[in-house]
């Protein structure tokens, strides 16, 4: 079986003064290519820390994290940025759009980071427009974020996550700031992307959202406490 990511005895400790916070305590997990994984758990369980490590936004204290077969913990900062930009797309609960940028410009942001400021060309813009069409924003390219609904802003964030053709999409509470109907629309879009072959790793506190994924794990006190849906647990 091919794996999108593998966590091997992963730990993450934070030092707050004289106190050591053990956010992850030796987590091991294999994520097959094409999986749709939901990570659940209460506040402080380690789920967000785990997502940050899997997204190569942070480094583990110990253990190994294999992404596309490479041990991310051993990479230099430049290599880490490159592999993150090439392999991973990010979707955040708060959308993280640049307010003065249009929909098109927000979608194209990863190109600017990847190319170190090189000019965006017409081919890039055409690709961004195609992806905007895919997520239902083909007629909103010139709109600014304040002119969009919350669901439309999240669709911009999804389009931005797709622009570099990532193998893995990391989603941190992608439905958290949306009403239930809009949240269902976003989940339908994520499931469609998963069915097309993309691996999706999502943090959520909503059992009804997690139930729509292929795999679910429940975090507690920095370890994987179980698999499956755990009704009644929320952040």
């Amino acid at each position: 079986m091919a794996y999108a990511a593998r966590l091997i005895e992963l730990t993450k400790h934070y030092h707050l003064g004289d106190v050591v916070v053990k956010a992850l305590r030796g987590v091991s997990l294999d994520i097959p290519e094409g999986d749709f994984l939901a990570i659940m758990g209460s506040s402080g369980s380690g789920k967000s820390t785990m997502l940050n490590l899997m997204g190569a936004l942070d480094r583990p204290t110990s253990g190994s994290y294999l992404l596309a077969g490479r041990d991310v913990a051993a990479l230099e900062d430049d290599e880490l940025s490159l592999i993150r930009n090439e392999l991973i797309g990010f979707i955040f609960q708060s959308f993280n759009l640049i307010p003065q940028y249009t929909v098109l410009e927000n979608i194209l942001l990863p190109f600017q980071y990847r190319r170190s400021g090189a000019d965006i060309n017409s081919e890039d813009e055409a690709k961004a427009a195609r992806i905007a069409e895919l997520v239902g924003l083909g007629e909103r390219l010139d709109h600014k974020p304040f002119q969009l609904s919350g669901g439309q802003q999240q669709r911009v964030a999804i389009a931005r996550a797709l622009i570099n053709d990532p193998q893995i999409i990391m989603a941190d509470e992608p439905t958290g700031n949306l009403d239930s109907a809009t949240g269902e629309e976003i989940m339908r879009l994520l499931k469609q992307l998963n069915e097309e072959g993309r691996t999706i790793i999502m943090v959520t506190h909503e059992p009804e959202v997690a139930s729509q994924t292929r795999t679910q794990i429940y975090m507690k006190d920095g370890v994987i406490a179980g698999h499956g849906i755990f009704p009644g647990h929320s952040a």
Side-chain angles (χ1 to χ4, degrees):
M1 178 181 292
Y3 295 103
R6 304 187 75 184
L7 287 67
I8 305 168
E9 289 297 316
L10 212 61
T11 73
K12 182 62 181 180
H13 300 168
Y14 297 99
H15 293 268
L16 301 176
D18 295 331
V19 178
V20 177
V21 177
K22 296 182 178 181
L24 289 185
R25 302 167 180 257
V27 173
S28 295
L29 179 67
D30 291 337
I31 304 171
E33 288 183 358
D35 199 6
F36 191 163
L37 170 67
I39 305 172
M40 303 182 69
S42 59
S43 180
S45 64
K47 62 183 187 297
S48 294
T49 297
M50 195 159 110
L51 191 74
N52 285 339
L53 289 174
M54 287 193 290
L57 297 171
D58 201 357
R59 296 178 184 273
T61 301
S62 65
S64 297
Y65 172 45
L66 304 181
L67 183 63
R70 301 181 66 185
D71 190 347
V72 171
L75 298 179
E76 299 291 335
D77 287 344
D78 288 347
E79 294 177 300
L80 199 62
S81 296
L82 183 62
I83 199 169
R84 184 169 58 232
N85 201 275
E86 288 181 343
L87 297 181
I88 302 172
F90 295 94
I91 304 169
F92 302 97
Q93 178 179 359
S94 57
F95 316 137
N96 286 4
L97 304 180
I98 295 181
Q100 65 268 31
Y101 279 17
T102 64
V103 166
L104 184 67
E105 290 167 338
N106 270 288
I107 294 172
L108 285 165
L109 267 178
F111 275 176
Q112 294 183 351
Y113 296 139
R114 187 172 182 174
R115 299 176 183 179
S116 302
D119 290 341
I120 300 296
N121 58 44
S122 58
E123 185 176 334
D124 298 331
E125 292 181 348
K127 180 177 181 179
R130 287 195 300 273
I131 294 174
E133 189 72 35
L134 174 69
V135 301
L137 293 173
E139 298 180 356
R140 308 275 182 176
L141 295 179
D142 294 328
H143 285 58
K144 302 287 182 66
F146 73 89
Q147 297 173 301
L148 304 174
S149 68
Q152 289 170 331
Q153 290 184 59
Q154 191 59 291
R155 287 172 181 270
V156 177
I158 292 172
R160 181 183 58 197
L162 293 174
I163 193 69
N164 277 336
D165 298 317
Q167 297 178 17
I168 303 174
I169 294 174
M170 303 279 181
D172 189 3
E173 300 279 8
T175 63
N177 281 341
L178 306 175
D179 60 71
S180 57
T182 307
E184 289 173 6
E185 292 178 6
I186 295 303
M187 282 304 297
R188 281 196 294 271
L189 180 54
L190 291 177
K191 284 189 286 186
Q192 177 185 332
L193 293 172
N194 177 243
E195 288 166 1
E196 293 171 357
R198 298 182 193 275
T199 303
I200 300 179
I201 301 170
M202 176 180 69
V203 162
T204 182
H205 68 276
E206 302 172 86
E208 62 273 22
V209 170
S211 68
Q212 301 177 58
T213 66
R214 295 172 184 261
T215 310
Q216 306 88 31
I217 61 171
Y218 187 78
M219 298 291 295
K220 184 176 182 181
D221 298 329
V223 299
I224 298 175
H227 298 257
I229 304 300
F230 292 78
H233 292 283
S234 61

